[in-house]
Amino acid sequence: MSFSLEQSALAACSDVSNSVLQRRSLSCRSSILPPLVFQNNSKRANLSLSKPLHVSAVEIIGKDKEPVIKCRAYEADKSQPIQAAAQEVKSEAAKRVKIGIYFATWWALNVVFNIYNKKVLNAYPYPWLTSTLSLACGSLMMLISWATRIAEAPKTDFEFWKTLFPVAVAHTIGHVAATVSMSKVAVSFTHIIKSGEPAFSVLVSSLLLGESFPPAVYLSLVPIIGGCALAAVTELNFNMTGFMGAMISNLAFVFRNIFSKKGMKGNSVSGMNYYACLSMLSLVILTPFAISVEGPQMWAAGWEKALSQIGPQFIWWVAAQSIFYHLYNQVSYMSLDQISPLTFSIGNTMKRISVIVSSIIIFHTPVQPVNAVGAAIAILGTFLYSQ
């Protein structure tokens, strides 16, 4: 509560102050505070306060006017005045709006990427090249941003790149495996299987790192594993390569997170620049493997075929999937700078739901009721795990 005491409230302050002045007049006539001037007023009102009053400032209004005490009331059990508290509330509200914008942008960009990525893979089934183009586009975008000073270039050294290398290896494997999976099966099925990533996280952390978890965490894995298994068994267009690609992607991203936690402690590189460096190093790692697995001859023949079937808009599809891949990952890393890992995990679960639903609608993916139930159970388990 914040108010300025006018005539009626000032009179109430006067009653309290006069009794104090009679006993301790020296404190009110010090060289620091000006003399207190109170005027009696017949119009008095009862002043009921649940918290004590505190004098916040002594101000002189005008040149020729006498000094007056400007009283403001705030809760005594608060460590700061109401103005600072109000400012803090506004700051917190602005932060929540900012996080909401991050989440909405993250989900929207991810949906757009998955749509264009699937379109490209349907017409041009070369996931290794597609993965390479995604990383190359993001790396080029960030290099231009640093050169034009749109974004501040990070200060890195050899130790930074050394600790980033295992993270980049795991990121490269996870990225390629997910793209291979989406080239063989429906987008929705890939993301249903990828919702089982928490099971891999607990398994790796328990066996390799010796970590232990509460019983509730292990119980939350039951619906995750059961839901993924039910969705896989009832998938109409099941493909083992697509299934294994999603599973390998889960495992690789778990190792990426572990390496990130171990190697990047105390690192000052921001989320956006950190992902940019990760993309560049992953591009260096992936390019020779992409050339050896698929090769320029296959790429050229497939490119001509795709252009003849789709037309010039195929070029836009390739550009869009590459650009949106970098943007959605960049926004996700930027949001991770602003929120806790728990909030990020919940946001990632909701992102999968938006991708699964939108891809089923856009690509008219046939879904059996049992398959939908399995997907719902797996996603529910992921949400419970994050809790």
Side-chain angles (χ1 to χ4, degrees):
M1 85 183 168
S2 174
F3 54 87
S4 296
L5 297 180
E6 303 296 339
Q7 292 181 353
S8 60
L10 189 60
C13 283
S14 175
D15 291 341
V16 178
S17 301
N18 287 336
S19 63
V20 176
L21 286 170
Q22 291 176 0
R23 291 174 293 169
R24 302 182 64 182
S25 58
L26 291 176
S27 63
C28 296
R29 298 182 179 277
S30 63
S31 59
I32 299 176
L33 290 176
L36 301 178
V37 180
F38 297 107
Q39 295 180 355
N40 293 329
N41 196 317
S42 60
K43 295 181 181 180
R44 293 190 178 186
N46 293 328
L47 185 63
S48 176
L49 296 173
S50 61
K51 303 291 183 181
L53 289 173
H54 295 264
V55 176
S56 63
V58 178
E59 298 180 2
I60 298 179
I61 303 176
K63 294 182 178 179
D64 300 326
K65 293 186 178 181
E66 295 182 356
V68 298
I69 290 181
K70 189 175 182 181
C71 296
R72 293 187 183 277
Y74 63 91
E75 294 183 1
D77 56 347
K78 299 291 184 182
S79 60
Q80 51 185 322
I82 191 66
Q83 291 179 336
Q87 188 67 27
E88 184 178 345
V89 171
K90 290 181 180 180
S91 177
E92 186 66 24
K95 183 178 179 181
R96 290 185 179 183
V97 171
K98 183 179 180 181
I99 292 173
I101 294 174
Y102 271 142
F103 270 21
T105 306
W106 176 24
W107 297 341
L109 292 172
N110 190 261
V111 168
V112 174
F113 158 71
N114 278 277
I115 291 172
Y116 280 109
N117 189 48
K118 185 59 178 176
K119 284 186 173 183
V120 170
L121 292 172
N122 286 341
Y124 189 68
Y126 298 99
W128 288 80
L129 176 60
T130 304
S131 302
T132 305
L133 292 176
S134 300
L135 296 173
C137 180
S139 300
L140 180 62
M141 290 170 62
M142 288 308 301
L143 287 174
I144 294 175
S145 298
W146 293 339
T148 57
R149 299 193 176 183
I150 297 176
E152 184 178 355
K155 296 179 180 179
T156 61
D157 52 16
F158 176 77
E159 189 64 26
F160 170 82
W161 294 100
K162 180 182 176 181
T163 56
L164 187 64
F165 182 77
V167 183
V169 171
H171 178 74
T172 303
I173 295 173
H175 176 42
V176 173
T179 308
V180 170
S181 176
M182 281 190 276
S183 70
K184 299 295 182 180
V185 296
V187 175
S188 56
F189 180 70
T190 297
H191 280 272
I192 291 171
I193 302 303
K194 283 179 67 62
S195 66
E197 184 177 325
F200 286 88
S201 180
V202 173
L203 182 66
V204 172
S205 298
S206 300
L207 297 180
L208 299 184
L209 302 180
E211 296 182 5
S212 60
F213 299 90
V217 172
Y218 293 106
L219 289 175
S220 69
L221 300 181
V222 175
I224 294 176
I225 297 173
C228 289
L230 183 60
V233 170
T234 58
E235 175 66 24
L236 295 176
N237 299 316
F238 180 83
N239 180 278
M240 182 56 71
T241 303
F243 174 76
M244 291 305 299
M247 296 287 280
I248 293 172
S249 177
N250 282 338
L251 186 61
F253 284 141
V254 166
F255 278 104
R256 180 192 66 178
N257 296 337
I258 292 174
F259 292 143
S260 295
K261 291 178 182 178
K262 283 190 172 184
M264 304 310 295
K265 286 183 179 180
N267 180 55
S268 60
V269 178
S270 66
M272 181 177 66
N273 285 334
Y274 174 74
Y275 179 71
C277 295
L278 181 62
S279 296
M280 294 175 187
L281 191 52
S282 295
L283 176 63
V284 173
I285 296 171
L286 177 59
T287 301
F289 288 97
I291 294 174
S292 62
V293 173
E294 293 175 346
Q297 292 183 349
M298 296 177 64
W299 295 340
W303 188 269
E304 292 180 2
K305 182 179 179 181
L307 280 177
S308 62
Q309 292 178 346
I310 307 299
Q313 63 177 338
F314 171 72
I315 300 176
W316 159 247
W317 290 0
V318 174
Q321 72 90 23
S322 301
I323 293 171
F324 283 106
Y325 172 79
H326 175 79
L327 290 178
Y328 101 76
N329 277 287
Q330 179 175 297
V331 172
S332 71
Y333 273 83
M334 291 170 64
S335 64
L336 190 57
D337 278 347
Q338 305 290 327
I339 60 179
S340 66
L342 171 61
T343 306
F344 184 84
S345 178
I346 295 173
N348 197 41
T349 302
M350 301 304 294
K351 177 206 73 174
R352 294 209 187 283
I353 295 175
S354 62
V355 171
I356 291 171
V357 173
S358 61
S359 64
I360 289 175
I361 295 173
I362 292 174
F363 295 109
H364 305 287
T365 306
V367 179
Q368 292 182 339
V370 179
N371 186 264
V373 170
I377 293 174
I379 293 173
L380 175 62
T382 305
F383 179 78
L384 293 176
Y385 170 83
S386 68
Q387 297 298 310

